[in-house]
Amino acid sequence: MNTNKQLATSATRIASSNHQIDESKICPRARAIVEKLTAANYQAYLVGGCVRDLMLNITPKDFDVVTDARPEQICKLFSNSRMIGRRFRLVHVYSNRNFIEVSTFRAVADASKQRHTEEANNGRILRDNTYGNIEQDAIRRDFTINALYYDLASSEVLDFCNGIDDLRNGQIRIIGDAYTRYKEDPVRMLRALRFKAKLGLQIEPETAQPITALGSLLRDIPAARMFDETVKLFHSGSSVKCFNALRDYDLLHILFPYTAQSITQDEQFLQLIYAALANTDRRILTGKSVNPAFIFAILLWKPYCELLESAQSERVPISETVWQAARTTVVDQSTLTFIPKRLSIVICEIWRLQHRFHKRKGRKPLQILMHPRFRAAYDFFCLRTEAGEVDPAECTWWTNIQHANEEEKMEMVNTRQQHK
Ligand code: ATP
Ligand code: MG
């Protein structure tokens, strides 16, 4: 019995002859989960970003499954699963250390009618576990291009919100009234900017219009979620475009007020940011590792330097001032985008090493070379050089010492006339 076909009737169905989805791009684990659910007589589809990406011939980075099975029923079917979530209750089905997210069809939250929905007085949805059918599930998604379902049994795409047309016309269109949907969840504004940058689409005018005016609502979002969304923006592989979009829509001063303030006064700092973001995008596109600490270290560099300058006094040793200014900068930013401790330590170490790079005599440079953050700090130093902040000769010295043999190293750290 094909459960999917029986129940999803009112969608536009796009047959495989009318779309170019390459099924070899579909994760076999996601396929297996869908097949197990349908074999148990539940409806199950791939949904959201993965279908959008498949339609654009992009290999999705994650796959989401949606079903009419309730979380408890999903858990019963998959022994290697865990129920998670407060705002949305959903299930992670594990294989080894990876998991696929499986969620139950949900309806649009309406706090006045639904006892499972909780809304803050500014319209933000706090909890939303109102189950529904596939059509209801489609219209509570954010954008039409993210509300596509893929039926693995028939290889058809199911479209309830005209997402296919929007995708083909390169449009990001919010489902429903833009003001209401952004008030329900302001993070949707950041998502719109990210998809625009990453997928090269346009934000359709009515979807774009309220963003600047409603930007301040992002301040009410828990800082931990804002951190996740910020990392997604800057690790999207299109961070330069995301950064420009944040500036264009006047959201940079909401997410990074100290950064926004500093760039108005310092063109060189803006150049440093662009050089770092372009470098991050290149690293991501070539499959190299990236650490969010690096991005935060860049974006907060000038605010940190300004604080350091104002805090410097003859009575307090510089090493202490450096540490205090670094801590304060990170803590201040953390109220907006929470910065986990493991990252804040790295950020502070990268900054501290910037000062130590100017000391090039004696044993200190050799200790710096052994520092666990040397590589990140050196990359940072190179970018500062590129932006015109550091004397290129100093940077070259640090490049050379890494390639020198022991004898050459000793000579470099002992040659006094080279030092400032
Ligand atoms: P990507 O994974 O490439 O960042 P995505 O669209 O898959 O993009 P996810 O966060 O994985 O984003 O979310 C999966 C799907 O869940 C989305 O495609 C969308 O349908 C829905 N969704 C995610 N966040 C929201 C939101 N804030 N409001 C409404 N629907 C959302
Ligand atoms: Mg996704």
Side-chain angles (χ1 to χ4, degrees):
M1 175 169 73
N2 184 343
T3 318
N4 285 345
K5 204 149 208 164
Q6 267 187 348
L7 293 167
T9 49
S10 68
T12 302
R13 288 172 172 272
I14 296 95
S16 62
S17 51
N18 289 327
H19 65 71
Q20 259 89 52
I21 287 185
D22 172 2
E23 287 206 356
S24 71
K25 287 193 162 73
I26 296 174
C27 162
R29 289 177 297 114
R31 176 185 283 279
I33 291 168
V34 168
E35 285 172 354
K36 193 163 180 178
L37 281 160
T38 46
N41 275 346
Y42 294 114
Q43 299 177 69
Y45 301 90
L46 298 178
V47 67
C50 65
V51 184
R52 175 200 69 213
D53 290 352
L54 287 166
M55 287 287 300
L56 293 171
N57 202 22
I58 298 170
T59 303
K61 66 174 172 52
D62 54 36
F63 285 82
D64 294 310
V65 172
V66 73
T67 173
D68 62 348
R70 296 291 166 98
E72 313 77 50
Q73 293 170 317
I74 303 167
C75 283
K76 224 171 174 178
L77 208 56
F78 298 95
S79 54
N80 52 342
S81 62
R82 226 177 74 183
M83 212 184 300
I84 61 135
R86 198 172 131 78
R87 188 166 177 272
F88 300 139
R89 196 161 297 140
L90 42 85
V91 178
H92 284 172
V93 178
Y94 283 84
S95 67
N96 303 322
R97 292 174 70 207
N98 300 316
F99 64 81
I100 303 266
E101 213 163 87
V102 183
S103 54
T104 307
F105 293 142
R106 279 194 301 266
V108 164
D110 181 346
S112 60
K113 296 196 188 113
Q114 310 288 345
R115 67 191 165 87
H116 298 293
T117 304
E118 201 179 302
E119 194 181 273
N121 53 12
N122 56 5
R124 188 157 65 87
I125 304 287
L126 300 177
R127 239 184 298 279
D128 168 20
N129 279 313
T130 314
Y131 298 121
N133 59 29
I134 186 170
E135 279 186 73
Q136 292 168 319
D137 187 84
I139 59 169
R140 55 153 279 280
R141 290 178 183 275
D142 48 4
F143 305 106
T144 62
I145 58 166
N146 286 347
L148 299 170
Y149 296 72
Y150 192 64
D151 186 345
L152 278 160
S154 64
S155 297
E156 287 173 322
V157 176
L158 273 61
D159 181 5
F160 296 89
C161 302
N162 239 3
I164 293 281
D165 279 352
D166 282 336
L167 200 55
R168 289 187 173 145
N169 296 325
Q171 299 292 307
I172 300 170
R173 186 188 308 275
I174 201 144
I175 300 171
D177 172 62
Y179 276 90
T180 313
R181 299 305 309 282
Y182 291 143
K183 280 184 184 163
E184 274 173 18
D185 183 3
V187 165
R188 289 172 184 150
M189 298 187 276
L190 295 180
R191 289 174 56 83
L193 265 45
R194 176 157 57 90
F195 297 132
K196 171 184 158 72
K198 195 174 127 181
L199 304 171
L201 309 177
Q202 294 302 314
I203 308 180
E204 152 306 302
E206 282 184 24
T207 305
Q209 203 270 330
I211 293 181
T212 300
L214 296 183
S216 61
L217 295 178
L218 287 164
R219 294 197 184 107
D220 299 333
I221 301 294
R225 187 165 177 227
M226 286 300 286
F227 169 76
D228 292 344
E229 291 302 324
T230 304
V231 173
K232 283 185 195 168
L233 283 167
F234 288 104
H235 283 180
S236 61
S238 307
S239 66
V240 171
K241 287 184 182 160
C242 284
F243 184 75
N244 284 337
L246 286 174
R247 294 183 74 201
D248 291 346
Y249 286 90
D250 218 8
L251 297 187
L252 187 68
H253 79 104
I254 308 278
L255 261 68
F256 288 95
Y258 309 103
T259 310
Q261 172 71 24
S262 295
I263 58 176
T264 58
Q265 296 154 3
D266 189 340
E267 179 65 22
Q268 212 171 43
F269 178 43
L270 190 59
Q271 292 317 315
L272 173 68
I273 293 175
Y274 278 123
L277 297 182
N279 185 51
T280 303
D281 289 347
R282 270 194 303 275
R283 288 186 71 91
I284 289 178
L285 297 182
T286 52
K288 290 189 184 152
S289 67
V290 283
N291 184 339
F294 197 84
I295 296 284
F296 280 90
I298 289 284
L299 291 171
L300 298 173
W301 169 241
K302 210 72 211 179
Y304 154 75
C305 290
E306 285 159 8
L307 203 60
L308 182 63
E309 208 176 293
S310 67
Q312 252 163 22
S313 101
E314 281 177 8
R315 273 170 284 132
V316 187
I318 173 85
S319 58
E320 213 169 287
T321 326
V322 162
W323 201 247
Q324 261 171 23
R327 286 258 334 127
T328 308
T329 309
V330 169
V331 167
D332 286 352
Q333 176 63 34
S334 274
T335 60
L336 291 152
T337 60
F338 175 74
I339 301 175
K341 193 157 181 221
R342 68 191 150 83
L343 295 194
S344 64
I345 293 170
V346 178
I347 297 168
C348 295
E349 284 178 343
I350 291 175
W351 288 342
R352 208 153 59 105
L353 283 169
Q354 300 309 303
H355 307 289
R356 294 177 65 192
F357 280 144
H358 296 302
K359 302 197 173 84
R360 289 183 284 144
K361 57 184 168 186
R363 297 211 57 79
K364 282 194 174 134
L366 304 176
Q367 288 164 2
I368 292 173
L369 284 172
M370 306 294 284
H371 194 286
R373 299 292 157 217
F374 171 75
R375 190 72 223 175
Y378 164 73
D379 288 347
F380 197 103
F381 200 62
C382 292
L383 288 166
R384 289 178 58 215
T385 311
E386 210 179 297
E389 236 187 67
V390 171
D391 176 358
E394 272 193 277
C395 190
T396 307
W397 190 91
W398 281 102
T399 309
N400 291 344
I401 198 164
Q402 291 172 68
H403 305 295
N405 61 32
E406 287 312 305
E407 202 181 319
E408 289 164 339
K409 272 184 191 150
M410 292 317 290
E411 204 175 307
M412 285 177 81
V413 298
N414 287 326
T415 314
R416 282 180 170 267
Q417 60 272 30
Q418 268 193 2
H419 305 139
K420 278 195 162 176

